[in-house]
Amino acid sequence: MSTSTASGPVAETITNKLTAAFCPLHLEVRNESHMHNVPENSETHFKVIIASAEFDTPKCKTPLARHRAVNAVLAEEVASDGPVHALSIVAKTSAQWEKMVQEGKVDAIGPSPNCRGGDGSLPKKNK
């Protein structure tokens, strides 16, 4: 398995839960909180890039089904009272991932867009 993961307790929990649930071929958990109006060292905004043979099953045939599967595993973290405010998911089947690797498109998965303001419900960033 190829893994690149953000550090911190929330990122570690996300990594552990997804690894246990999906035995991924590839897993990246990127903390993108620094791109948002949150205090320094926050763990509130994440991007998960995951590829797994578990997604080759009929129940995970569509991208939406794969996203639902990831969200179900991380239900506590993404709950309204959980630590994760935003979760971006790139979930690929093993065949899709292998094709991306062969075509050199893995690095094309860039960061999420910068925050455009939000609803003001999060604490202000300490500068």
Side-chain angles (χ1 to χ4, degrees):
M1 173 179 74
S2 173
T3 305
S4 173
T5 305
S7 61
V10 177
E12 186 176 324
T13 297
I14 291 170
T15 299
N16 291 342
K17 285 186 169 188
L18 293 177
T19 299
F22 299 111
C23 300
L25 304 167
H26 178 85
L27 176 62
E28 286 181 59
V29 178
R30 298 178 183 174
N31 183 351
E32 296 185 329
S33 301
H34 65 280
M35 298 164 48
H36 300 274
N37 187 26
V38 295
E40 195 172 328
N41 300 317
S42 291
E43 287 189 282
T44 55
H45 296 71
F46 288 92
K47 177 174 227 149
V48 168
I49 302 168
I50 184 169
S52 173
E54 296 290 322
F55 297 148
D56 297 335
T57 63
K59 69 177 183 173
C60 287
K61 184 178 179 179
T62 67
L64 182 58
R66 294 190 290 273
H67 284 220
R68 286 178 175 156
V70 170
N71 276 305
V73 169
L74 301 177
E76 290 179 48
E77 289 70 31
V78 299
S80 61
D81 60 346
V84 177
H85 174 75
L87 180 64
S88 172
I89 302 168
V90 176
K92 301 291 184 183
T93 65
S94 55
Q96 289 172 327
W97 185 254
E98 290 306 319
K99 184 178 180 187
M100 287 181 70
V101 170
Q102 289 173 359
E103 294 176 354
K105 293 184 177 177
V106 172
D107 292 333
I109 302 172
S112 298
N114 282 329
C115 182
R116 294 181 47 147
D119 66 1
S121 64
L122 294 173
K124 296 294 181 204
K125 185 184 254 181
N126 297 333
K127 294 191 177 192

